[in-house]
Amino acid sequence: MGDSHQPRRLSVHQALGGGCVADLLLWKKWTGGATLLVGATALWFVFERAGYNVLSFVANVLLLLVAILFFWAKSASLLNRPLPPLPDLEISEQSIVKIAVVMQEWVNYTLSIARDITVGRNWKLFLQVALGLWFISYIGSLFNFVTLVYIGVILSLTVPFLKRRFNRSTDIQMGLEDCKGLVDIGRFGFLLIYDEAGK
């Protein structure tokens, strides 16, 4: 066999998709990671500990924004200063079409799974979906939704960073030291590839 069949080894940065999201999750730009962590903690505190709900929070933030812009515009006209810089608040047709195409793909994928379960009588897929939904329901009964989102943000900020930083020692602890790397298998994740002398 030639080298053309060798799996391509992916770094943690590449596995996260590369770009600015991977940089943020791996704390390459620490100000972005710290901002996200502090913001998520502040929002969790406001919603979970202070007892605020999302609708009143959004309404109060919008009220404060409108009041600031209104008084800025009034004072600007009285003091002969420039008006507040507001962009044209419009959504382009191209962005709506892109969102619609992505939504259509996800809805069609979900409907194809539902069809495979019902018409195709795919028991394995039925059990996977049923167990997945039961697991989500069980986790949802343990945590408030805001707390669950907060835990997800904290895990997404810590696990990739720790994996990149302590890659070799975590591979040894998990028994993956003979693993040659990850192969991207599309939308569904990654496949571990071992040496022939490995496991």
Side-chain angles (χ1 to χ4, degrees):
M1 293 193 194
D3 288 332
S4 63
H5 290 88
Q6 290 289 350
R8 187 173 57 107
R9 184 171 174 87
L10 293 174
S11 67
V12 177
H13 190 269
Q14 291 168 333
L16 291 173
C20 60
V21 173
D23 290 344
L24 179 76
L25 293 177
L26 293 173
W27 290 72
K28 287 191 175 188
K29 297 178 181 175
W30 69 271
T31 54
T35 302
L36 183 61
L37 180 63
V38 168
T41 303
L43 286 175
W44 177 80
F45 181 78
V46 164
F47 292 135
E48 191 63 28
R49 293 290 166 214
Y52 230 27
N53 66 32
V54 177
L55 186 61
S56 62
F57 178 76
V58 169
N60 286 336
V61 166
L62 289 176
L63 175 66
L64 182 64
L65 179 66
V66 167
I68 288 171
L69 290 175
F70 176 78
F71 288 119
W72 187 353
K74 280 294 185 190
S75 66
S77 65
L78 291 174
L79 300 173
N80 293 328
R81 301 269 184 203
L83 290 173
L86 281 178
D88 291 337
L89 301 175
E90 294 180 3
I91 300 174
S92 69
E93 187 175 340
Q94 292 173 341
S95 60
I96 295 295
V97 169
K98 286 180 185 177
I99 292 170
V101 167
V102 170
M103 291 297 292
Q104 179 189 16
E105 288 176 4
W106 279 100
V107 168
N108 286 340
Y109 178 70
T110 305
L111 291 175
S112 72
I113 290 176
R115 184 178 189 285
D116 286 346
I117 291 172
T118 56
V119 177
R121 296 186 182 117
N122 188 342
W123 281 98
K124 183 180 177 184
L125 186 60
F126 168 72
L127 289 175
Q128 287 176 342
V129 170
L131 286 175
L133 291 174
W134 175 80
F135 182 71
I136 290 170
S137 172
Y138 179 72
I139 295 296
S141 69
L142 296 177
F143 299 104
N144 186 343
F145 181 71
V146 173
T147 302
L148 194 61
V149 170
Y150 180 65
I151 290 170
V153 168
I154 296 299
L155 287 176
S156 69
L157 285 173
T158 55
V159 171
F161 173 74
L162 293 174
K163 173 66 177 159
R164 191 182 109 237
R165 185 168 182 137
F166 303 108
N167 194 14
R168 182 72 182 146
S169 60
T170 56
D171 284 350
I172 291 171
Q173 290 290 328
M174 295 177 63
L176 300 175
E177 63 268 10
D178 296 326
C179 179
K180 289 165 86 175
L182 294 172
V183 175
D184 188 2
I185 57 173
R187 163 191 299 183
F188 302 107
F190 301 95
L191 180 68
L192 293 173
I193 304 297
Y194 288 95
D195 284 336
E196 290 165 17
K199 297 180 180 179

